[in-house]
Amino acid sequence: MQEKLPILITGGTQRLGLAITLSLVKAGYELIVTYRTPKESIDVLQKMGVKCIRTDFEKSSSVAELVDIVAQEYGMLRAVIHNASDWLAEDDVPCSELMDRMFKVHVNAPYQINIGLSDLLMKGSSNDENQGADIIHFTDYVVEKGSDKHIAYSASKAALANLTLSFAKKLSPQVKVNSIAPSLLKFNDEDDEEYRAKALAKSLLQIEPGEQEAVAAVEYILSSRYMTGRTIALDGGRHLA
Ligand SMILES: NC(=O)C1=CN([C@@H]2O[C@H](COP(=O)(O)OP(=O)(O)OC[C@H]3O[C@@H](n4cnc5c(N)ncnc54)[C@H](OP(=O)(O)O)[C@@H]3O)[C@@H](O)[C@H]2O)C=CC1
Ligand SMILES: Nc1nc2c(c(=O)[nH]1)N=C([C@H](O)[C@@H](O)CO)CN2
């Protein structure tokens, strides 16, 4: 059986990222995950053989240090999945700092990681022509419509969506680059009933599908040989509601 290559996923220790990590470990891949905050899942993942690297993309030099660690320890990569994200609102953070924070996590980190690890992805692609190599950016439905409560967040995700187009051109034909644009997939524990009801009503399908919706989209992109520079929208038909 063809040896599975390593996959790097940022923010891979909770919620969507953790579900994707576990599915890829089960599929036989070697996983490298980043996290910012220590939590119980990290010990479990390490016992499964997952390489867990602590990093905060808001801290300068953190991204360069991450790239150095991965480049030194791994000879090639099957995929890089940019999942890490901070969903901050203008009500929560002064606008004088919020845009900078959002661009550090959602744009600068993916940008530097893609450039810094492109050689490893190219080698991963040539390792098995049937598999190729992938970069996946987790953007957001709000890239299409904007957001009046998460303006800086939305703008940074729109910039991330543009990175998909640029890197798809730069890294073809060896590496496919695609976005996954969710709307509501999984509530946060602190979301109250009123918020949940309003959020569910925003889409045609009116459900909270959970992490497996994102897992399935990642699995499809990894299996595809002919999609690049595109976006998979996981939004329950919200654009028609
Ligand atoms: N959940 C949903 O319904 C939706 C999700 N999305 C997108 O899907 C992706 C996954 O969503 P979800 O699972 O809810 O994400 P989370 O809000 O759970 O965040 C994922 C991870 O990002 C990490 N992170 C946040 N800020 C930083 C930072 N400065 N440096 C390094 N890591 C950081 C966190 O690490 P730690 O916990 O270690 O601090 C966290 O575990 C995200 O890109 C999100 O924007 C889009 C629309 C809807
Ligand atoms: N990093 C995160 N980004 C987003 C989250 C989240 O929990 N973490 N959640 C949403 C909402 O589900 C929104 O899509 C619907 O209310 C958006 N982005």
Side-chain angles (χ1 to χ4, degrees), residues 31-42:
L31 266 291
I32 311 156
V33 304
T34 77
Y35 69 97
R36 176 184 54 176
T37 311
K39 56 180 78 77
E40 275 183 34
S41 62
I42 291 157

Side-chain angles (χ1 to χ4, degrees), residues 10-18 20 34-39 42 55-59 62 82-87 101 104-106 137-141 153 157 160 180-188 211 214:
T10 64
T13 66
Q14 70 179 34
R15 293 163 56 80
L16 275 57
L18 177 60
I20 294 163
T34 77
Y35 69 97
R36 176 184 54 176
T37 311
K39 56 180 78 77
I42 291 157
T55 185
D56 182 344
F57 293 138
E58 288 193 44
K59 292 194 167 59
S62 65
H82 297 286
N83 167 78
S85 167
D86 219 348
W87 191 38
R101 291 181 61 181
K104 279 178 178 170
V105 183
H106 299 142
H137 295 140
F138 269 88
T139 59
D140 189 307
Y141 166 83
Y153 164 88
K157 288 285 191 171
L160 179 58
I180 295 173
S183 181
L184 169 67
L185 294 185
K186 182 175 180 64
F187 286 115
N188 281 284
E211 303 97 326

Side-chain angles (χ1 to χ4, degrees), residues 100-118:
D100 182 49
R101 291 181 61 181
M102 292 291 90
F103 267 69
K104 279 178 178 170
V105 183
H106 299 142
V107 186
N108 181 58
Y111 169 71
Q112 284 196 53
I113 290 167
N114 289 350
I115 290 175
L117 298 180
S118 57

Side-chain angles (χ1 to χ4, degrees), residues 68-230:
D68 285 349
I69 291 169
V70 176
Q72 282 166 20
E73 293 192 20
Y74 298 86
M76 56 182 76
L77 285 171
R78 170 66 182 80
V80 176
I81 302 172
H82 297 286
N83 167 78
S85 167
D86 219 348
W87 191 38
L88 297 174
E90 274 70 28
D91 284 352
D92 303 327
V93 180
C95 66
S96 57
E97 62 182 76
L98 184 54
M99 189 65 82
D100 182 49
R101 291 181 61 181
M102 292 291 90
F103 267 69
K104 279 178 178 170
V105 183
H106 299 142
V107 186
N108 181 58
Y111 169 71
Q112 284 196 53
I113 290 167
N114 289 350
I115 290 175
L117 298 180
S118 57
D119 286 349
L120 270 65
L121 286 161
M122 292 289 187
K123 287 176 189 160
S125 173
S126 58
N127 181 273
D128 177 345
E129 285 172 14
N130 294 325
Q131 287 276 329
D134 286 275
I135 291 172
I136 299 174
H137 295 140
F138 269 88
T139 59
D140 189 307
Y141 166 83
V142 296
V143 165
E144 286 182 40
K145 298 281 188 180
S147 169
D148 59 355
K149 294 187 174 57
H150 296 83
I151 300 169
Y153 164 88
S154 179
S156 66
K157 288 285 191 171
L160 179 58
N162 190 261
L163 291 186
T164 296
L165 306 178
S166 298
F167 280 106
K169 284 190 270 194
K170 178 179 176 60
L171 301 178
S172 67
Q174 296 89 343
V175 183
K176 304 194 296 349
V177 185
N178 293 288
S179 296
I180 295 173
S183 181
L184 169 67
L185 294 185
K186 182 175 180 64
F187 286 115
N188 281 284
D189 294 343
E190 64 270 23
D191 293 335
D192 62 26
E193 284 313 308
E194 182 186 0
Y195 173 85
R196 291 174 187 240
K198 278 171 67 177
L200 290 171
K202 288 180 180 176
S203 77
L204 292 181
L205 300 182
Q206 304 200 356
I207 60 167
E208 175 202 17
E211 303 97 326
Q212 290 309 311
E213 196 72 13
V215 170
V218 167
E219 289 173 348
Y220 170 73
I221 289 174
L222 294 179
S223 70
S224 165
R225 299 204 50 213
Y226 199 50
M227 184 173 86
T228 195
R230 286 298 186 189

